[in-house]
Amino acid sequence: MTSDFTWNIRVYYEDTDAGGVVFYANYLKFFERARTEWLRAAGIEQQLLTVSHHVMFVVKSTAVDYHAPAKLDDELKLSVVVERLGRASVQFIQEAWRVEGEDLRLLASGRIKVGCVDTSTFRPSPIPDEVLDRIKNTG
C-alpha cells in the first residue's frame, strides 16, 4: 500500500539497561517515534488531529520479536510499513536495524496495530477521510 518510511536515531545511555544493551521495551518507544515522524512526513499532525477532528490514534496491540541487541551509541534505522489500513485502524510492520557502515543488521521486528478513537469517549471512530487519503498516498 505505502512504501517504506525510515527514521534514524541514536541509542543514548537512558535507552540501555544494566547490561549496556537497549532495554527491550524501548524498542516500542523507538517504533512510536518512527510512526510519529511517518505521520508528520505525510502532513498529519497528531495534536491538530485531536483539535480539529476530535480523534486520536491509540495502540491496540503489539507483537515484537528480538533478533540481536543494540548498544550505547549505535545508530538505528527504523522502518514503518502499512500492512493493512482499515476504516478505524492501521496495522504496521516495523523494524529496527543497526547501521554498520553500509550494512544493516536486523535487531527487532514488530507488528503494531493502532486504532482511531474519539477523544471524549475513547470509542472507535473512523479515520478522517483526509487522513486516510494522506496515508494511502504516502510514499
Side-chain angles (χ1 to χ4, degrees):
M1 176 175 300
T2 60
S3 64
D4 291 359
F5 173 84
T6 60
W7 184 256
N8 286 31
I9 63 165
R10 181 76 58 188
V11 174
Y12 296 112
Y13 185 77
E14 68 184 11
D15 300 320
T16 62
D17 61 16
V21 300
V22 169
F23 181 63
Y24 75 94
N26 285 338
Y27 287 95
L28 292 172
K29 291 172 29 174
F30 298 160
F31 289 162
E32 176 75 29
R33 291 175 193 162
R35 287 193 314 277
T36 298
E37 295 302 331
W38 168 80
L39 282 170
R40 191 182 320 277
I44 302 165
E45 295 182 39
Q46 293 189 79
Q47 186 60 34
L48 187 58
L49 196 60
T50 63
V51 172
S52 62
H53 294 285
H54 307 289
V55 296
M56 64 183 181
F57 290 111
V58 296
V59 173
K60 182 183 184 321
S61 63
T62 63
V64 180
D65 290 316
Y66 302 95
H67 308 284
K71 297 180 180 178
L72 181 65
D73 290 329
D74 282 350
E75 180 184 359
L76 306 184
K77 180 180 289 281
L78 307 169
S79 65
V80 179
V81 175
V82 174
E83 181 180 43
R84 186 170 47 238
L85 180 60
R87 191 62 191 112
S89 65
V90 185
Q91 186 162 295
F92 298 95
I93 297 294
Q94 292 193 254
E95 295 174 327
W97 299 81
R98 180 176 34 249
V99 177
E100 299 173 340
E102 295 295 316
D103 297 324
L104 297 174
R105 179 160 186 201
L106 182 62
L107 305 177
S109 54
R111 176 172 279 123
I112 292 85
K113 185 173 186 178
V114 299
C116 185
V117 299
D118 181 281
T119 56
S120 61
T121 64
F122 287 89
R123 306 246 335 129
S125 180
I127 298 170
D129 289 336
E130 66 189 67
V131 174
L132 276 174
D133 290 343
R134 287 179 185 235
I135 291 172
K136 289 177 184 174
N137 294 318
T138 298

